PDB file of all heavy atoms in Angstrom:
ATOM      1  N   LYS N 335      70.601  68.222 129.202  1.00  0.00           N
ATOM      2  CA  LYS N 335      71.703  67.372 129.651  1.00  0.00           C
ATOM      3  C   LYS N 335      71.248  66.542 130.842  1.00  0.00           C
ATOM      4  O   LYS N 335      70.587  67.045 131.765  1.00  0.00           O
ATOM      5  CB  LYS N 335      72.916  68.238 130.018  1.00  0.00           C
ATOM      6  CG  LYS N 335      74.037  67.481 130.735  1.00  0.00           C
ATOM      7  CD  LYS N 335      73.919  67.662 132.249  1.00  0.00           C
ATOM      8  CE  LYS N 335      74.850  66.702 133.006  1.00  0.00           C
ATOM      9  NZ  LYS N 335      74.678  66.829 134.486  1.00  0.00           N
ATOM     10  N   ALA N 337      72.436  62.671 133.226  1.00  0.00           N
ATOM     11  CA  ALA N 337      73.292  61.509 133.445  1.00  0.00           C
ATOM     12  C   ALA N 337      72.404  60.316 133.784  1.00  0.00           C
ATOM     13  O   ALA N 337      71.386  60.460 134.477  1.00  0.00           O
ATOM     14  CB  ALA N 337      74.286  61.769 134.572  1.00  0.00           C
ATOM     15  N   THR N 338      72.781  59.138 133.312  1.00  0.00           N
ATOM     16  CA  THR N 338      71.951  57.966 133.518  1.00  0.00           C
ATOM     17  C   THR N 338      72.805  56.716 133.670  1.00  0.00           C
ATOM     18  O   THR N 338      73.952  56.668 133.210  1.00  0.00           O
ATOM     19  CB  THR N 338      70.971  57.781 132.344  1.00  0.00           C
ATOM     20  OG1 THR N 338      70.164  56.619 132.561  1.00  0.00           O
ATOM     21  CG2 THR N 338      71.710  57.616 131.031  1.00  0.00           C
ATOM     22  N   SER N 351      71.601  60.140 144.208  1.00  0.00           N
ATOM     23  CA  SER N 351      72.033  60.244 142.812  1.00  0.00           C
ATOM     24  C   SER N 351      73.470  60.729 142.669  1.00  0.00           C
ATOM     25  O   SER N 351      73.977  60.790 141.557  1.00  0.00           O
ATOM     26  CB  SER N 351      71.105  61.198 142.041  1.00  0.00           C
ATOM     27  OG  SER N 351      71.148  62.497 142.601  1.00  0.00           O
ATOM     28  N   ARG N 352      74.127  61.099 143.757  1.00  0.00           N
ATOM     29  CA  ARG N 352      75.505  61.573 143.685  1.00  0.00           C
ATOM     30  C   ARG N 352      76.459  60.438 143.999  1.00  0.00           C
ATOM     31  O   ARG N 352      76.427  59.908 145.121  1.00  0.00           O
ATOM     32  CB  ARG N 352      75.737  62.728 144.667  1.00  0.00           C
ATOM     33  CG  ARG N 352      74.964  63.983 144.318  1.00  0.00           C
ATOM     34  CD  ARG N 352      75.363  65.107 145.254  1.00  0.00           C
ATOM     35  NE  ARG N 352      74.662  66.342 144.925  1.00  0.00           N
ATOM     36  CZ  ARG N 352      74.854  67.493 145.552  1.00  0.00           C
ATOM     37  NH1 ARG N 352      75.742  67.553 146.551  1.00  0.00           N
ATOM     38  NH2 ARG N 352      74.192  68.571 145.215  1.00  0.00           N
ATOM     39  N   TRP N 353      77.337  60.046 143.098  1.00  0.00           N
ATOM     40  CA  TRP N 353      77.381  60.630 141.750  1.00  0.00           C
ATOM     41  C   TRP N 353      77.172  59.515 140.743  1.00  0.00           C
ATOM     42  O   TRP N 353      77.886  58.519 140.776  1.00  0.00           O
ATOM     43  CB  TRP N 353      78.727  61.298 141.515  1.00  0.00           C
ATOM     44  CG  TRP N 353      78.978  62.476 142.367  1.00  0.00           C
ATOM     45  CD1 TRP N 353      79.716  62.555 143.506  1.00  0.00           C
ATOM     46  CD2 TRP N 353      78.497  63.787 142.109  1.00  0.00           C
ATOM     47  NE1 TRP N 353      79.746  63.829 143.972  1.00  0.00           N
ATOM     48  CE2 TRP N 353      78.992  64.614 143.144  1.00  0.00           C
ATOM     49  CE3 TRP N 353      77.699  64.366 141.125  1.00  0.00           C
ATOM     50  CZ2 TRP N 353      78.709  65.977 143.217  1.00  0.00           C
ATOM     51  CZ3 TRP N 353      77.432  65.710 141.199  1.00  0.00           C
ATOM     52  CH2 TRP N 353      77.928  66.504 142.219  1.00  0.00           C
ATOM     53  N   ILE N 354      76.165  59.668 139.877  1.00  0.00           N
ATOM     54  CA  ILE N 354      76.014  58.733 138.766  1.00  0.00           C
ATOM     55  C   ILE N 354      77.082  59.027 137.714  1.00  0.00           C
ATOM     56  O   ILE N 354      77.753  58.130 137.214  1.00  0.00           O
ATOM     57  CB  ILE N 354      74.594  58.813 138.174  1.00  0.00           C
ATOM     58  CG1 ILE N 354      73.609  58.115 139.115  1.00  0.00           C
ATOM     59  CG2 ILE N 354      74.546  58.187 136.779  1.00  0.00           C
ATOM     60  CD1 ILE N 354      72.178  58.175 138.653  1.00  0.00           C
ATOM     61  N   SER N 355      77.231  60.287 137.371  1.00  0.00           N
ATOM     62  CA  SER N 355      78.257  60.662 136.397  1.00  0.00           C
ATOM     63  C   SER N 355      79.620  60.715 137.071  1.00  0.00           C
ATOM     64  O   SER N 355      79.738  60.958 138.276  1.00  0.00           O
ATOM     65  CB  SER N 355      77.933  62.008 135.758  1.00  0.00           C
ATOM     66  OG  SER N 355      77.877  63.024 136.736  1.00  0.00           O
ATOM     67  N   SER N 356      80.662  60.503 136.296  1.00  0.00           N
ATOM     68  CA  SER N 356      82.020  60.530 136.816  1.00  0.00           C
ATOM     69  C   SER N 356      82.509  61.962 136.982  1.00  0.00           C
ATOM     70  O   SER N 356      81.899  62.913 136.470  1.00  0.00           O
ATOM     71  CB  SER N 356      82.953  59.786 135.863  1.00  0.00           C
ATOM     72  OG  SER N 356      83.045  60.487 134.624  1.00  0.00           O
ATOM     73  N   ALA N 357      83.628  62.117 137.681  1.00  0.00           N
ATOM     74  CA  ALA N 357      84.223  63.445 137.834  1.00  0.00           C
ATOM     75  C   ALA N 357      84.601  64.021 136.472  1.00  0.00           C
ATOM     76  O   ALA N 357      84.450  65.219 136.230  1.00  0.00           O
ATOM     77  CB  ALA N 357      85.443  63.360 138.745  1.00  0.00           C
ATOM     78  N   ALA N 358      85.072  63.169 135.581  1.00  0.00           N
ATOM     79  CA  ALA N 358      85.433  63.635 134.234  1.00  0.00           C
ATOM     80  C   ALA N 358      84.206  64.135 133.492  1.00  0.00           C
ATOM     81  O   ALA N 358      84.260  65.151 132.784  1.00  0.00           O
ATOM     82  CB  ALA N 358      86.101  62.504 133.455  1.00  0.00           C
ATOM     83  N   ALA N 359      83.092  63.441 133.647  1.00  0.00           N
ATOM     84  CA  ALA N 359      81.857  63.876 132.999  1.00  0.00           C
ATOM     85  C   ALA N 359      81.369  65.188 133.586  1.00  0.00           C
ATOM     86  O   ALA N 359      80.859  66.058 132.865  1.00  0.00           O
ATOM     87  CB  ALA N 359      80.781  62.799 133.145  1.00  0.00           C
ATOM     88  N   ARG N 360      81.548  65.359 134.887  1.00  0.00           N
ATOM     89  CA  ARG N 360      81.116  66.605 135.517  1.00  0.00           C
ATOM     90  C   ARG N 360      81.978  67.771 135.047  1.00  0.00           C
ATOM     91  O   ARG N 360      81.486  68.886 134.857  1.00  0.00           O
ATOM     92  CB  ARG N 360      81.148  66.464 137.041  1.00  0.00           C
ATOM     93  CG  ARG N 360      80.138  65.434 137.557  1.00  0.00           C
ATOM     94  CD  ARG N 360      79.932  65.534 139.055  1.00  0.00           C
ATOM     95  NE  ARG N 360      81.119  65.227 139.832  1.00  0.00           N
ATOM     96  CZ  ARG N 360      81.489  64.002 140.182  1.00  0.00           C
ATOM     97  NH1 ARG N 360      80.799  62.955 139.774  1.00  0.00           N
ATOM     98  NH2 ARG N 360      82.566  63.804 140.926  1.00  0.00           N
ATOM     99  N   ARG N 361      83.257  67.529 134.860  1.00  0.00           N
ATOM    100  CA  ARG N 361      84.117  68.588 134.314  1.00  0.00           C
ATOM    101  C   ARG N 361      83.686  68.940 132.890  1.00  0.00           C
ATOM    102  O   ARG N 361      83.678  70.120 132.509  1.00  0.00           O
ATOM    103  CB  ARG N 361      85.582  68.140 134.342  1.00  0.00           C
ATOM    104  CG  ARG N 361      86.206  68.132 135.723  1.00  0.00           C
ATOM    105  CD  ARG N 361      87.726  68.003 135.647  1.00  0.00           C
ATOM    106  NE  ARG N 361      88.129  66.719 135.058  1.00  0.00           N
ATOM    107  CZ  ARG N 361      88.363  65.622 135.770  1.00  0.00           C
ATOM    108  NH1 ARG N 361      88.191  65.630 137.085  1.00  0.00           N
ATOM    109  NH2 ARG N 361      88.753  64.517 135.176  1.00  0.00           N
ATOM    110  N   ASP N 362      83.327  67.936 132.139  1.00  0.00           N
ATOM    111  CA  ASP N 362      82.866  68.173 130.774  1.00  0.00           C
ATOM    112  C   ASP N 362      81.559  68.947 130.778  1.00  0.00           C
ATOM    113  O   ASP N 362      81.326  69.798 129.913  1.00  0.00           O
ATOM    114  CB  ASP N 362      82.700  66.843 130.046  1.00  0.00           C
ATOM    115  CG  ASP N 362      82.553  67.007 128.544  1.00  0.00           C
ATOM    116  OD1 ASP N 362      83.473  67.557 127.911  1.00  0.00           O
ATOM    117  OD2 ASP N 362      81.501  66.610 128.001  1.00  0.00           O
ATOM    118  N   THR N 363      80.707  68.681 131.755  1.00  0.00           N
ATOM    119  CA  THR N 363      79.448  69.422 131.871  1.00  0.00           C
ATOM    120  C   THR N 363      79.704  70.905 132.103  1.00  0.00           C
ATOM    121  O   THR N 363      79.019  71.760 131.541  1.00  0.00           O
ATOM    122  CB  THR N 363      78.605  68.853 133.026  1.00  0.00           C
ATOM    123  OG1 THR N 363      78.220  67.513 132.715  1.00  0.00           O
ATOM    124  CG2 THR N 363      77.349  69.692 133.257  1.00  0.00           C
ATOM    125  N   HIS N 364      80.702  71.220 132.906  1.00  0.00           N
ATOM    126  CA  HIS N 364      81.027  72.629 133.141  1.00  0.00           C
ATOM    127  C   HIS N 364      81.499  73.299 131.851  1.00  0.00           C
ATOM    128  O   HIS N 364      81.217  74.483 131.613  1.00  0.00           O
ATOM    129  CB  HIS N 364      82.080  72.757 134.245  1.00  0.00           C
ATOM    130  CG  HIS N 364      81.516  72.628 135.619  1.00  0.00           C
ATOM    131  ND1 HIS N 364      80.876  73.663 136.254  1.00  0.00           N
ATOM    132  CD2 HIS N 364      81.458  71.573 136.469  1.00  0.00           C
ATOM    133  CE1 HIS N 364      80.470  73.270 137.452  1.00  0.00           C
ATOM    134  NE2 HIS N 364      80.805  71.994 137.596  1.00  0.00           N
ATOM    135  N   TYR N 471      75.228  61.518 129.586  1.00  0.00           N
ATOM    136  CA  TYR N 471      76.391  60.794 130.074  1.00  0.00           C
ATOM    137  C   TYR N 471      75.901  59.464 130.641  1.00  0.00           C
ATOM    138  O   TYR N 471      75.124  59.443 131.603  1.00  0.00           O
ATOM    139  CB  TYR N 471      77.112  61.598 131.155  1.00  0.00           C
ATOM    140  CG  TYR N 471      77.671  62.903 130.656  1.00  0.00           C
ATOM    141  CD1 TYR N 471      76.922  64.077 130.730  1.00  0.00           C
ATOM    142  CD2 TYR N 471      78.936  62.966 130.083  1.00  0.00           C
ATOM    143  CE1 TYR N 471      77.426  65.277 130.254  1.00  0.00           C
ATOM    144  CE2 TYR N 471      79.457  64.160 129.608  1.00  0.00           C
ATOM    145  CZ  TYR N 471      78.689  65.312 129.693  1.00  0.00           C
ATOM    146  OH  TYR N 471      79.187  66.507 129.219  1.00  0.00           O
ATOM    147  N   VAL N 472      76.331  58.383 130.026  1.00  0.00           N
ATOM    148  CA  VAL N 472      75.898  57.051 130.436  1.00  0.00           C
ATOM    149  C   VAL N 472      76.990  56.417 131.277  1.00  0.00           C
ATOM    150  O   VAL N 472      78.120  56.227 130.814  1.00  0.00           O
ATOM    151  CB  VAL N 472      75.587  56.169 129.209  1.00  0.00           C
ATOM    152  CG1 VAL N 472      75.063  54.809 129.665  1.00  0.00           C
ATOM    153  CG2 VAL N 472      74.563  56.853 128.301  1.00  0.00           C
ATOM    154  N   ALA N 473      76.648  56.105 132.531  1.00  0.00           N
ATOM    155  CA  ALA N 473      77.611  55.504 133.455  1.00  0.00           C
ATOM    156  C   ALA N 473      77.503  53.983 133.405  1.00  0.00           C
ATOM    157  O   ALA N 473      76.405  53.439 133.250  1.00  0.00           O
ATOM    158  CB  ALA N 473      77.344  55.997 134.870  1.00  0.00           C
ATOM    159  N   PRO N 474      78.609  53.260 133.546  1.00  0.00           N
ATOM    160  CA  PRO N 474      78.581  51.791 133.515  1.00  0.00           C
ATOM    161  C   PRO N 474      78.066  51.229 134.839  1.00  0.00           C
ATOM    162  O   PRO N 474      78.769  50.511 135.563  1.00  0.00           O
ATOM    163  CB  PRO N 474      80.045  51.429 133.244  1.00  0.00           C
ATOM    164  CG  PRO N 474      80.823  52.547 133.857  1.00  0.00           C
ATOM    165  CD  PRO N 474      79.989  53.783 133.658  1.00  0.00           C
ATOM    166  N   LEU N 475      76.829  51.574 135.165  1.00  0.00           N
ATOM    167  CA  LEU N 475      76.195  51.152 136.416  1.00  0.00           C
ATOM    168  C   LEU N 475      74.844  50.526 136.120  1.00  0.00           C
ATOM    169  O   LEU N 475      74.177  50.895 135.136  1.00  0.00           O
ATOM    170  CB  LEU N 475      75.980  52.354 137.349  1.00  0.00           C
ATOM    171  CG  LEU N 475      77.183  53.214 137.726  1.00  0.00           C
ATOM    172  CD1 LEU N 475      76.713  54.426 138.521  1.00  0.00           C
ATOM    173  CD2 LEU N 475      78.181  52.411 138.542  1.00  0.00           C
ATOM    174  N   VAL N 505      83.938  58.750 124.563  1.00  0.00           N
ATOM    175  CA  VAL N 505      84.194  58.323 125.937  1.00  0.00           C
ATOM    176  C   VAL N 505      84.827  59.479 126.701  1.00  0.00           C
ATOM    177  O   VAL N 505      85.736  60.151 126.206  1.00  0.00           O
ATOM    178  CB  VAL N 505      85.128  57.103 125.955  1.00  0.00           C
ATOM    179  CG1 VAL N 505      85.513  56.738 127.384  1.00  0.00           C
ATOM    180  CG2 VAL N 505      84.444  55.912 125.289  1.00  0.00           C
ATOM    181  N   VAL N 506      84.318  59.712 127.899  1.00  0.00           N
ATOM    182  CA  VAL N 506      84.836  60.752 128.777  1.00  0.00           C
ATOM    183  C   VAL N 506      85.482  60.090 129.980  1.00  0.00           C
ATOM    184  O   VAL N 506      84.853  59.280 130.657  1.00  0.00           O
ATOM    185  CB  VAL N 506      83.719  61.713 129.229  1.00  0.00           C
ATOM    186  CG1 VAL N 506      84.265  62.765 130.181  1.00  0.00           C
ATOM    187  CG2 VAL N 506      83.051  62.364 128.035  1.00  0.00           C
ATOM    188  N   GLY N 507      86.741  60.418 130.264  1.00  0.00           N
ATOM    189  CA  GLY N 507      87.431  59.853 131.407  1.00  0.00           C
ATOM    190  C   GLY N 507      88.133  58.546 131.081  1.00  0.00           C
ATOM    191  O   GLY N 507      88.092  58.059 129.945  1.00  0.00           O
ATOM    192  N   GLU N 508      88.745  57.949 132.105  1.00  0.00           N
ATOM    193  CA  GLU N 508      89.499  56.716 131.948  1.00  0.00           C
ATOM    194  C   GLU N 508      89.229  55.796 133.129  1.00  0.00           C
ATOM    195  O   GLU N 508      88.897  56.243 134.227  1.00  0.00           O
ATOM    196  CB  GLU N 508      91.003  57.006 131.868  1.00  0.00           C
ATOM    197  CG  GLU N 508      91.409  57.865 130.686  1.00  0.00           C
ATOM    198  CD  GLU N 508      92.899  58.174 130.693  1.00  0.00           C
ATOM    199  OE1 GLU N 508      93.559  57.866 131.714  1.00  0.00           O
ATOM    200  OE2 GLU N 508      93.393  58.720 129.696  1.00  0.00           O
ATOM    201  N   GLY N 509      89.394  54.489 132.900  1.00  0.00           N
ATOM    202  CA  GLY N 509      89.265  53.514 133.974  1.00  0.00           C
ATOM    203  C   GLY N 509      87.914  53.580 134.652  1.00  0.00           C
ATOM    204  O   GLY N 509      86.867  53.574 133.998  1.00  0.00           O
ATOM    205  N   ASP N 510      87.937  53.663 135.994  1.00  0.00           N
ATOM    206  CA  ASP N 510      86.690  53.739 136.758  1.00  0.00           C
ATOM    207  C   ASP N 510      85.964  55.065 136.550  1.00  0.00           C
ATOM    208  O   ASP N 510      84.818  55.221 136.981  1.00  0.00           O
ATOM    209  CB  ASP N 510      86.970  53.550 138.250  1.00  0.00           C
ATOM    210  CG  ASP N 510      87.463  52.142 138.575  1.00  0.00           C
ATOM    211  OD1 ASP N 510      87.225  51.240 137.755  1.00  0.00           O
ATOM    212  OD2 ASP N 510      88.101  51.968 139.632  1.00  0.00           O
ATOM    213  N   GLU N 511      86.632  56.028 135.915  1.00  0.00           N
ATOM    214  CA  GLU N 511      86.043  57.339 135.674  1.00  0.00           C
ATOM    215  C   GLU N 511      85.387  57.426 134.298  1.00  0.00           C
ATOM    216  O   GLU N 511      85.026  58.501 133.848  1.00  0.00           O
ATOM    217  CB  GLU N 511      87.129  58.413 135.762  1.00  0.00           C
ATOM    218  CG  GLU N 511      87.539  58.735 137.184  1.00  0.00           C
ATOM    219  CD  GLU N 511      86.483  59.588 137.882  1.00  0.00           C
ATOM    220  OE1 GLU N 511      86.338  60.772 137.558  1.00  0.00           O
ATOM    221  OE2 GLU N 511      85.784  59.042 138.744  1.00  0.00           O
ATOM    222  N   THR N 512      85.229  56.299 133.632  1.00  0.00           N
ATOM    223  CA  THR N 512      84.730  56.319 132.256  1.00  0.00           C
ATOM    224  C   THR N 512      83.215  56.480 132.203  1.00  0.00           C
ATOM    225  O   THR N 512      82.477  55.778 132.898  1.00  0.00           O
ATOM    226  CB  THR N 512      85.121  55.019 131.525  1.00  0.00           C
ATOM    227  OG1 THR N 512      86.543  54.921 131.490  1.00  0.00           O
ATOM    228  CG2 THR N 512      84.587  55.013 130.110  1.00  0.00           C
ATOM    229  N   ASN N 513      82.761  57.407 131.383  1.00  0.00           N
ATOM    230  CA  ASN N 513      81.357  57.536 130.988  1.00  0.00           C
ATOM    231  C   ASN N 513      81.317  57.618 129.472  1.00  0.00           C
ATOM    232  O   ASN N 513      82.275  58.059 128.834  1.00  0.00           O
ATOM    233  CB  ASN N 513      80.721  58.799 131.558  1.00  0.00           C
ATOM    234  CG  ASN N 513      80.301  58.668 133.028  1.00  0.00           C
ATOM    235  OD1 ASN N 513      79.752  59.590 133.590  1.00  0.00           O
ATOM    236  ND2 ASN N 513      80.581  57.539 133.660  1.00  0.00           N
ATOM    237  N   VAL N 514      80.206  57.210 128.903  1.00  0.00           N
ATOM    238  CA  VAL N 514      79.970  57.406 127.479  1.00  0.00           C
ATOM    239  C   VAL N 514      79.135  58.660 127.310  1.00  0.00           C
ATOM    240  O   VAL N 514      78.109  58.829 127.990  1.00  0.00           O
ATOM    241  CB  VAL N 514      79.237  56.199 126.861  1.00  0.00           C
ATOM    242  CG1 VAL N 514      78.868  56.492 125.407  1.00  0.00           C
ATOM    243  CG2 VAL N 514      80.110  54.956 126.932  1.00  0.00           C
TER     244      VAL N 514
END
Side-chain angles (χ1 to χ4, degrees):
K335 170 263 169 183
T338 180
S351 61
R352 294 186 179 182
W353 294 100
I354 285 178
S355 61
S356 66
R360 295 194 296 275
R361 286 194 296 269
D362 194 60
T363 295
H364 281 280
Y471 297 92
V472 183
L475 304 174
V505 174
V506 178
E508 298 177 351
D510 293 340
E511 284 285 288
T512 299
N513 280 182
V514 174

